[in-house]
């Protein structure tokens, strides 16, 4: 009995940040219910504080270890990815403050749902078995389904939420079917026990099909081809702060889960799932690069851009080695910064008559708002992967991991896709610097200035200073599996 009590207290200590988020979400819900709609600003501020407290607790207090009989893991990999998830969520909440008041969007449920979704992401990152994987994934997804459709007065928002929900339910069914096959053919649900049961000798076609179905469900969450079809419409239709949220933290959590499922659970069968990852990576890089060329709406362009960036990140996973996993971690950290900064600018694209989303509305920004133009130029060139910006290093490490794993064709296709992607990023730069100025935007809100300044400085020059520290942290996290 004493041992069981000690084990439970130990498990609760390891899951401390998640418990803080869960209890905090319930408290925020009660605050909103009793204070009414006027409490939105207060609830949003408290939600940001809750995320910060959870992050500090995770970094300073929480011990590494295995909790709840192996269902929940906190290792260097989980800690690294959870920090990214919390940073992405905090920035998304901060950037939504002004939008909520300007657009008469004062609903206290909005930050509460973001907190619950973030809780689901943290569970995903620490999932040690198939059940925790599904619980975390669904908690994250259900909250985002509601967030995408939260603007009930907008047909586009309602359509985006419905489309995301229907396709998300399909992907969840595929993932569950795959998980049931994995359990059926190995007799295990824990990833490490699956790794011991799933060897080259015990490999069967049913097990491989199960792996493919689970990967298909996870590929939907990172909007990788061929499960990308929801991305452009949902990005365009959802309220812009929600799009900023969806483009960042959930992608990090789903990528973390994909890495843990493949590397931790099926390292012995890497030859089988590697082929799937290589196909998805090539398709995502190529499709995202070419489909973005014709886009005129900047949110749709960012949707196709995110598809190609998930393809680049999967190049590292396809390598299935320490360098590859380290590359994935670095890529997701830098991608998160670039995405947050870009969406800060999109949220600031606003005139007296309302928000605008067309790329042509950025015309002559260098003359009407030179600081914003310089920051967005740096972000676009970083997304394109030009040195010495952080985006260059993100692509460099995943491509070098592919070369190390002798996946030369994959690396070459990645470089060529980057060249194609350079066109549509440079087109935005050209519009800002060389076109005749459009009417100036309204002054940028303080929270958006903070987000844009922090991310633009991170990609250059701060990354040149702290890049070594981030690299070492990613290296230590990647060695968790090897």
């Amino acid at each position: 009995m004493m041992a069981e009590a000690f084990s439970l207290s130990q498990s609760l200590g390891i899951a401390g940040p998640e418990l803080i988020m869960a209890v905090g979400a319930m408290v925020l819900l009660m605050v909103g219910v009793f204070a009414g709609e006027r409490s939105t600003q207060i609830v949003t501020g408290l939600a940001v504080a809750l995320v910060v407290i959870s992050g500090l607790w995770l970094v300073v207090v929480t011990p590494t270890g295995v909790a709840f009989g192996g269902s929940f893991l906190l290792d260097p990999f989980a800690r690294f990815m959870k920090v990214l998830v919390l940073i992405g969520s905090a920035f998304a909440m901060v950037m939504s403050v002004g939008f909520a008041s300007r657009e008469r969007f004062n609903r206290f449920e909005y930050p509460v749902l973001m907190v619950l979704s973030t809780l689901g992401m943290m569970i995903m990152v620490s999932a040690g078995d198939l059940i925790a994987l599904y619980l975390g994934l669904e908690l994250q997804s259900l909250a985002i389904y509601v967030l995408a459709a939260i603007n009930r007065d907008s047909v586009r928002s309602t359509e985006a939420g419905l489309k995301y929900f229907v396709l998300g339910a399909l992907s969840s069914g595929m993932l569950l079917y795959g998980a049931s096959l994995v359990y059926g053919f190995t007799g295990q649900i824990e990833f490490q026990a699956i790794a011991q049961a799933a060897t080259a000798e015990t490999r069967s076609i049913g097990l491989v099909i199960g792996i493919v179905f689970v990967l298909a469900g996870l590929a939907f969450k990172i909007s990788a081809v061929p499960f990308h079809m929801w991305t452009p419409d949902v990005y365009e239709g959802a309220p812009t702060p929600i799009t900023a949220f969806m483009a960042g933290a959930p992608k990090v959590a789903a990528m973390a889960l994909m890495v843990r499922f493949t590397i931790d659970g099926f390292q012995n069968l890497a030859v089988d799932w590697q082929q799937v990852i290589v196909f998805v990576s090539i398709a995502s890089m190529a499709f995202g690069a070419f489909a973005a060329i014709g886009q005129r709406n900047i949110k749709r362009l960012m949707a196709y851009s995110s598809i190609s960036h998930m393809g680049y990140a999967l190049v590292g996973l396809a390598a299935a080695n320490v360098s590859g996993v380290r590359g994935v971690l670095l890529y997701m950290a830098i991608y998160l910064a670039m995405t947050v900064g870009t969406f800060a600018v999109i949220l600031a694209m606003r005139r007296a008559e309302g928000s605008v989303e067309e790329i042509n509305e950025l015309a002559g920004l260098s003359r009407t708002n030179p600081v914003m133009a310089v920051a967005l130029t740096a972000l676009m060139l970083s997304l394109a992967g030009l040195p010495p910006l952080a985006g260059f290093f993100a692509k460099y490490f995943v491509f070098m991991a592919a070369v190390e794993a002798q996946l030369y064709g994959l690396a070459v296709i990645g470089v060529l896709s980057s060249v194609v992607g350079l066109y549509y990023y440079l087109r935005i730069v050209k519009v800002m610097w060389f076109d005749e100025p459009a009417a100036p935007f309204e002054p940028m809100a303080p929270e958006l200035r903070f987000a844009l300044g922090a991310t633009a400085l991170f990609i250059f020059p701060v990354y040149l200073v702290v890049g070594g520290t981030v690299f070492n942290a990613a290296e230590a996290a990647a060695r968790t599996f090897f």
Side-chain angles (χ1 to χ4, degrees):
M1 186 66 72
M2 286 286 288
E4 285 179 13
F6 176 73
S7 176
L8 178 61
S9 64
Q10 201 172 35
S11 295
L12 293 175
I14 292 169
E18 285 76 13
L19 292 173
I20 291 171
M21 293 286 282
V23 173
M26 298 301 105
V27 172
L28 291 181
L29 189 60
M30 291 300 102
V31 170
V33 167
F34 288 107
E37 298 297 347
R38 66 182 184 277
S39 66
T40 302
Q41 296 274 16
I42 297 169
V43 174
T44 302
L46 290 173
V48 175
L50 183 63
V51 170
V52 172
I53 291 167
S54 296
L56 291 173
W57 193 274
L58 171 69
V59 173
V60 178
V61 179
T62 313
T64 56
V66 179
F68 305 114
S71 293
F72 190 91
L73 311 171
L74 186 63
D75 47 29
F77 173 81
R79 200 186 298 271
F80 185 95
M81 296 303 261
K82 281 185 184 181
V83 168
L84 293 186
V85 164
L86 291 169
I87 289 172
S89 297
F91 268 107
M93 289 178 194
V94 167
M95 291 195 300
S96 70
V97 173
F99 181 92
S101 57
R102 282 194 308 268
E103 301 288 332
R104 296 176 184 174
F105 199 63
N106 291 331
R107 296 191 181 129
F108 69 86
E109 298 95 339
Y110 169 68
V112 175
L113 285 166
M114 290 182 87
V115 169
L116 289 171
S117 181
T118 305
L119 171 61
M121 294 176 222
M122 294 173 74
I123 295 171
M124 286 166 65
V125 173
S126 282
D129 61 24
L130 295 170
I131 294 175
L133 174 154
Y134 185 71
L135 287 175
L137 196 69
E138 285 306 295
L139 177 56
Q140 178 250 176
S141 299
L142 288 170
I144 294 185
Y145 297 153
V146 180
L147 285 170
I150 199 167
N151 191 1
R152 290 168 294 185
D153 299 329
S154 167
V155 175
R156 286 200 315 171
S157 178
T158 307
E159 181 188 344
L162 183 61
K163 190 171 290 187
Y164 189 36
F165 171 70
V166 171
L167 294 173
L170 174 65
S171 75
S172 294
M174 294 170 67
L175 187 143
L176 271 179
Y177 179 62
S180 66
L181 285 176
V182 169
Y183 171 67
F185 282 94
T186 62
Q188 305 290 340
I189 60 168
E190 285 183 30
F191 294 148
Q192 294 191 352
I194 289 170
Q196 294 174 357
T199 61
E201 293 76 27
T202 60
R203 173 187 174 278
S204 65
I205 189 66
L207 180 58
V208 174
I209 292 172
I211 296 170
V212 171
F213 269 95
V214 173
L215 289 178
L218 295 176
F220 175 89
K221 300 302 178 185
I222 62 170
S223 61
V225 176
F227 307 101
H228 64 283
M229 64 288 289
W230 61 273
T231 316
D233 293 335
V234 175
Y235 269 47
E236 183 183 6
T240 305
I242 305 297
T243 307
F245 178 62
M246 292 167 57
K251 300 283 180 73
V252 174
M255 186 63 75
L257 191 50
M258 190 174 265
V259 171
R260 191 178 289 282
F261 176 76
T262 51
I263 304 293
D264 207 13
F266 294 98
Q267 203 166 351
N268 297 328
L269 301 182
V271 175
D272 294 306
W273 57 259
Q274 211 171 16
Q275 299 171 48
V276 178
I277 299 296
V278 167
F279 166 76
V280 171
S281 175
I282 291 173
S284 300
M285 289 187 294
F287 177 81
F290 284 101
I293 290 174
Q295 300 305 315
R296 296 290 176 264
N297 182 294
I298 194 166
K299 286 167 72 175
R300 288 186 76 87
L301 184 141
M302 287 302 294
Y304 287 111
S305 171
S306 76
I307 292 169
S308 62
H309 280 287
M310 291 304 102
Y312 296 129
L314 289 173
V315 171
L317 180 56
N321 54 26
V322 176
S323 301
V325 175
R326 181 191 64 209
V328 173
L329 298 178
L330 287 170
Y331 201 101
M332 296 312 295
I334 294 168
Y335 165 80
L336 181 66
M338 297 186 296
T339 301
V340 167
T342 304
F343 274 97
V345 174
I346 295 172
L347 279 162
M349 291 172 61
R350 181 180 177 81
R351 300 194 179 97
E353 61 272 17
S355 299
V356 293
E357 296 173 1
E358 297 300 307
I359 292 170
N360 290 338
E361 303 289 350
L362 291 165
L365 187 66
S366 59
R367 277 172 273 180
T368 57
N369 193 332
V371 175
M372 188 194 293
V374 169
L376 184 57
T377 299
L379 289 162
M380 290 296 106
L381 297 180
S382 183
L383 284 164
L386 294 182
L389 301 167
F392 166 77
F393 297 101
K395 290 183 179 176
Y396 173 79
F397 286 118
V398 291
F399 292 158
M400 289 307 295
V403 170
E404 185 182 317
Q406 299 183 343
L407 298 171
Y408 304 115
L410 183 60
V412 169
I413 292 170
V415 172
L416 293 175
S417 298
S418 295
V419 174
V420 175
L422 183 61
Y423 168 78
Y424 54 82
Y425 295 123
L426 285 179
R427 180 160 61 89
I428 294 176
V429 175
K430 173 258 180 191
V431 168
M432 289 192 294
W433 290 91
F434 299 109
D435 286 12
E436 285 301 311
F441 297 130
E442 289 185 346
M444 203 172 189
E447 66 273 10
L448 299 180
R449 281 203 299 270
F450 166 72
L452 179 59
T455 53
L457 287 173
F458 175 78
I459 61 169
F460 184 81
V462 172
Y463 187 78
L464 298 179
V465 178
V466 303
T469 305
V470 178
F471 180 91
N472 292 336
E475 175 83 18
R479 291 202 175 276
T480 301
F481 302 115
F482 297 95

